[in-house]
Amino acid sequence: MARGRLTPERESELYGAVLDLLREVGYDALTMDAVAARTHSSKATLYRQWGSKPELVAHALRHDKPVDITEIDTGSLRGDFHELLARSDDCQMERDSALMRGLAHAVHDNPDLLQALRDLLIEPEMTGLDQVLRRAVDRGEVDPANPALTLVPHMLIGAFVARPLVEDRPVDRAFLTTYVDAVVLPALGV
């Protein structure tokens, strides 16, 4: 999609409004009309810029992502995970976690949303995580035959889903740091 007509500030404002509406009403009740009204823009502009509601939502979520994992290279896998968590904000993490739980439900009925999320969020994150893990293998920290290498995304997503269900508490940096040290790294033999 050609988004060149919008200034970065205006684009950021639109993405913020989309995320606010998602938190307020959820994906199914979010409409392009509501986004247009909230942002004082036209529906035609939204469709011209993003093409569809799933694309707009996925772009908003990608824009809101605070940390690019591929930028982190501390020289050790433990250091990389800890640096990633150090750059995360507990409040943002709690908001993102709630959004992702809502979207996880919405993707069951919206295959276009699932595809947009895979293309713009999941695949780039998987690629970044693969790079971090590949560096750990190259440094000799992780055995390349370790079956847990392919399960790291599942372990991390599991932490985000399980804590609110099991403990009725939000995911935060302290929990994730303990989880990475107690579960993810030992599974990888680190």
Side-chain angles (χ1 to χ4, degrees):
M1 298 292 146
R3 282 178 290 284
R5 291 192 189 113
L6 297 177
T7 65
E9 296 79 15
R10 179 68 173 141
E11 193 173 31
S12 186
E13 178 188 326
L14 281 162
Y15 289 150
V18 169
L19 296 178
D20 287 345
L21 282 165
L22 271 174
R23 289 182 190 102
E24 291 167 23
V25 302
Y27 180 79
D28 290 331
L30 181 130
T31 65
M32 294 298 250
D33 284 323
V35 174
R38 177 77 55 104
T39 60
H40 308 290
S41 56
S42 73
K43 229 171 44 166
T45 298
L46 298 176
Y47 280 108
R48 185 172 49 254
Q49 294 293 318
W50 290 280
S52 69
K53 178 172 95 169
E55 289 288 324
L56 176 56
V57 167
H59 275 93
L61 289 164
R62 183 76 203 158
H63 178 78
D64 195 50
K65 179 117 181 38
V67 180
D68 179 357
I69 192 170
T70 60
E71 295 174 356
I72 297 172
D73 185 0
T74 65
S76 77
L77 186 58
R78 180 179 307 277
D80 290 351
F81 275 121
H82 282 231
E83 179 63 21
L84 174 65
L85 293 171
R87 293 186 189 186
S88 302
D89 171 82
D90 283 348
C91 293
Q92 183 71 32
M93 202 180 296
E94 186 174 348
R95 288 192 305 270
D96 289 349
S97 183
L99 266 179
M100 294 314 287
R101 283 192 306 274
L103 289 171
H105 176 72
V107 296
H108 291 288
D109 299 324
N110 300 280
D112 291 347
L113 174 63
L114 178 58
Q115 190 59 52
L117 291 175
R118 279 192 174 139
D119 292 346
L120 287 163
L121 280 175
I122 298 166
E123 288 304 321
E125 289 302 303
M126 295 289 288
T127 300
L129 186 56
D130 284 348
Q131 289 175 7
V132 168
L133 294 172
R134 194 173 319 113
R135 285 194 306 258
V137 168
D138 292 346
R139 287 190 299 261
E141 289 180 90
V142 178
D143 180 346
N146 186 324
L149 276 169
T150 61
L151 300 174
V152 172
H154 304 80
M155 287 187 269
L156 294 173
I157 291 168
F160 275 91
V161 173
R163 189 169 203 209
L165 290 173
V166 173
E167 298 178 46
D168 194 24
R169 295 178 61 194
V171 174
D172 57 24
R173 284 192 328 216
F175 170 77
L176 285 179
T177 300
T178 300
Y179 184 85
V180 163
D181 288 344
V183 177
V184 178
L185 293 173
L188 293 169
V190 176

